[in-house]
Amino acid sequence: MSSVREATLDVLRQCGMHRVFANPGSTEVAFLADLPDDLEFVLALHEGSVVGMATGHAIATGRPAFVNLHTTAGLGNAVGALATA
């Protein structure tokens, strides 16, 4: 049986996503620690920027993008950018 992390990484690969856009907090460290070599970590300093970068990447490549946001406060900061995306 695989972990939630392993299953998520498998889904990312199956969807052709090779980047994780994030503004992580301590809650996300377990997911982001020791990312496999085939995944690139892209850090931004605000949740809105993270979503904007991922949106731009998705538009430019024509492929979906993955955003890892911090818990409730991070999601609250990103809601406007998520709605725009």
Side-chain angles (χ1 to χ4, degrees):
M1 179 187 298
S2 65
S3 68
V4 171
R5 179 181 189 266
E6 292 167 354
T8 302
L9 296 174
D10 288 343
V11 169
L12 293 178
R13 291 181 184 110
Q14 290 169 12
C15 292
M17 292 185 263
H18 301 287
R19 287 178 185 81
V20 174
F21 296 88
N23 177 19
S26 58
T27 308
E28 295 77 30
V29 170
F31 176 75
L32 297 171
D34 299 320
L35 278 177
D37 290 338
D38 64 329
L39 291 173
E40 177 184 1
F41 176 72
V42 181
L43 174 67
L45 299 178
H46 188 275
E47 291 83 1
S49 300
V50 170
V51 175
M53 290 170 24
T55 301
H57 181 268
I59 291 169
T61 62
R63 294 191 327 258
F66 180 78
V67 175
N68 182 268
L69 295 172
H70 190 45
T71 56
T72 308
L75 178 59
N77 279 335
V79 165
L82 287 168
T84 301

